[in-house]
Amino acid sequence: MSDTLELAKELISRPSVTPEDAGCQALMMERLSALGFDTEPMNFGDTQNFWARHGSEDPLFCFAGHTDVVPPGPEDAWDSPPFEPTIRDGLLYGRGAADMKGSLAAMISATESFVKKHPDHNGSIAYLITSDEEGPATHGTVKVIETLELRDEKIDWCLVGEPSSTEKLADVVKNGRRGSHGCRLVVKGIQGHVAYPHLARNPVHQAMPALAELVAEEWDQGNEFFPPTTFQISNIHAGAGATNVIPGALEVLFNFRFSTETTHEALEQRVQEILDRHGLDYDIEWTLSGPPFLTAAGALLDAAQQAVQEIMGYSTELSTSGGTSDGRFIAPTGAQVLELGPLNATIHKVNECVGVEDLDNLARIYERLLELLLT
């Protein structure tokens, strides 16, 4: 059993359902301390985080990730217990195997191998690990970054171990992510009896033309790195549960996934202009999960592409698709940020798994990346 596989199994066996860490970070810090890393717990609220650093010089390369996992759901739906790592047919099964304890194990074993070979490497290596990526993400990476910014500790290059691959390991590297901007809209009406509509004001009827316009709107055309911005209604609710009552309010939840061609402020302004043009009486509440970010070119991207080519024997594709990641908190500091990890086919699913061979190859890619950047 390789060091990477052994550590991945140890991490998976700890039921770290967000925001719990279940001892995963202590295990990682112990391994890093043995290498000479300075480890620093940074806990906020109910979230455990740590920052670890080897070296004091620039440039600073950072591995970023999370020890928390989503709930496994009914255990009897799994072919083997979700927190009992099990190998079948060359695959390691368990909650977090792909998202992202496999990546964490590969990071540690790659770092151990690299530092032992290059104890006096150029620059510095750091780890930024949280237990609140799968949850609200309010006391995790964002808080650690705030702390680092206050003491002017800057990350130059950051690799996030999110499962970026689709068909085979490292066939896709995420060099950016779309922004996510959510909204809760309440359109106000006047409740009444359906037989006397002249004595009421139906917010559903009033809102429909405006919502149809929002759905049909072209927000931008995207660019070479990002698809066009999308608008999706995720929930509509109104009424008292009776067919003979005109509702007094309509609640609509919607979300933008937006490109670098626009901003969250511009989207808010355009939405409110449409609502106002339709004469609606409304309250609106916005929640920005994160702006878009892009690492279009530079040393990190060049090294990642070269490492994948050398280790796997094929080129990787750049993509900005998918949801959000903690990269959205790191990129605004000026860091180059990439996501490179295992296949994402089983993440958040029953029988989540990762290829055993993929774990070892991922560690080799990570180690080669360190060599290209820091030697």
Side-chain angles (χ1 to χ4, degrees):
M1 186 184 302
S2 71
D3 289 342
T4 306
L5 177 58
E6 186 174 358
L7 180 54
K9 291 179 68 175
E10 285 191 67
L11 292 170
I12 292 168
S13 68
R14 300 168 189 244
S16 54
V17 176
T18 188
E20 296 299 323
D21 170 70
C24 293
Q25 292 182 25
L27 176 60
M28 294 179 68
M29 284 190 284
E30 180 182 353
R31 299 279 286 260
L32 293 171
S33 294
L35 283 177
F37 275 74
D38 293 322
T39 59
E40 180 182 359
M42 290 190 184
N43 300 332
F44 300 94
D46 60 356
T47 301
Q48 289 185 243
N49 314 291
F50 80 82
W51 171 254
R53 181 164 179 162
H54 188 270
S56 58
E57 302 298 320
D58 295 332
L60 173 58
F61 174 89
C62 177
F63 283 118
H66 59 92
T67 53
D68 60 317
V69 299
V70 296
E75 291 199 12
D76 58 6
W78 289 68
D79 292 339
S80 53
F83 296 110
E84 291 183 17
T86 304
I87 298 174
R88 296 192 301 274
D89 301 321
L91 298 173
L92 172 62
Y93 287 85
R95 174 57 84 222
D99 189 13
M100 57 176 286
K101 292 182 176 180
S103 297
L104 298 178
M107 290 173 183
I108 293 289
S109 60
T111 303
E112 288 173 336
S113 178
F114 175 78
V115 171
K116 288 172 184 176
K117 293 176 185 175
H118 307 281
D120 298 318
H121 58 80
N122 299 328
S124 302
I125 306 171
Y127 276 71
L128 195 173
I129 307 297
T130 182
S131 68
D132 184 33
E133 196 274 345
E134 300 290 6
T138 54
H139 294 113
T141 299
V142 63
K143 289 294 187 182
V144 177
I145 287 295
E146 288 176 5
T147 302
L148 297 177
E149 287 288 282
L150 286 173
R151 63 195 198 193
D152 200 30
E153 194 167 1
K154 294 286 189 180
I155 298 169
D156 296 285
W157 304 310
C158 181
L159 189 142
V160 185
E162 290 291 345
S164 62
S165 307
T166 55
E167 301 294 332
K168 53 187 178 180
L169 179 67
D171 60 351
V172 174
V173 168
K174 299 291 177 73
N175 67 321
R177 292 279 191 161
R178 295 174 295 173
S180 176
H181 201 27
C183 184
R184 176 178 177 268
L185 170 68
V186 177
V187 180
K188 302 174 186 178
I190 298 176
Q191 190 179 64
H193 196 296
V194 297
Y196 304 95
H198 59 288
L199 299 178
R201 189 174 77 243
N202 193 322
V204 178
H205 293 184
Q206 287 193 310
M208 285 304 156
L211 294 179
E213 186 172 340
L214 289 170
V215 170
E217 184 79 359
E218 181 182 78
W219 304 96
D220 60 46
Q221 296 183 337
N223 53 41
E224 63 176 314
F225 297 105
F226 289 92
T229 292
T230 61
F231 169 92
Q232 288 291 314
I233 295 174
S234 53
N235 191 273
I236 295 180
H237 176 75
T243 62
N244 60 352
V245 178
I246 293 171
L250 169 70
E251 180 183 79
V252 184
L253 303 180
F254 58 83
N255 181 270
F256 285 100
R257 294 301 165 105
F258 63 103
S259 76
T260 51
E261 293 296 302
T262 189
T263 65
H264 71 279
E265 295 95 344
L267 293 172
E268 290 180 13
Q269 181 178 349
R270 289 174 65 181
V271 167
Q272 289 169 212
E273 286 173 353
I274 291 172
L275 299 177
D276 292 342
R277 187 163 64 249
H278 286 271
L280 301 181
D281 181 11
Y282 65 90
D283 290 328
I284 194 164
E285 178 183 343
W286 295 92
T287 303
L288 177 66
S289 295
F293 70 88
L294 178 69
T295 299
L300 179 61
L301 184 56
D302 291 345
Q305 291 175 312
Q306 182 176 339
V308 172
Q309 183 67 53
E310 290 182 10
I311 301 301
M312 302 307 299
Y314 47 76
S315 299
T316 189
E317 174 189 343
L318 302 181
S319 173
T320 60
S321 64
T324 59
S325 78
D326 275 2
R328 70 190 189 272
F329 303 125
I330 302 167
T333 68
Q336 296 176 30
V337 179
L338 294 180
E339 298 173 26
L340 172 56
L343 272 66
N344 55 30
T346 63
I347 60 174
H348 293 207
K349 293 183 179 181
V350 167
N351 294 325
E352 179 181 351
C353 62
V354 65
V356 170
E357 186 178 356
D358 283 353
L359 286 177
D360 291 331
N361 281 330
L362 186 60
R364 293 171 66 204
I365 291 171
Y366 288 166
E367 182 178 356
R368 183 60 181 141
L369 188 65
L370 290 171
E371 290 173 348
L372 290 168
L373 292 171
L374 298 179
T375 60

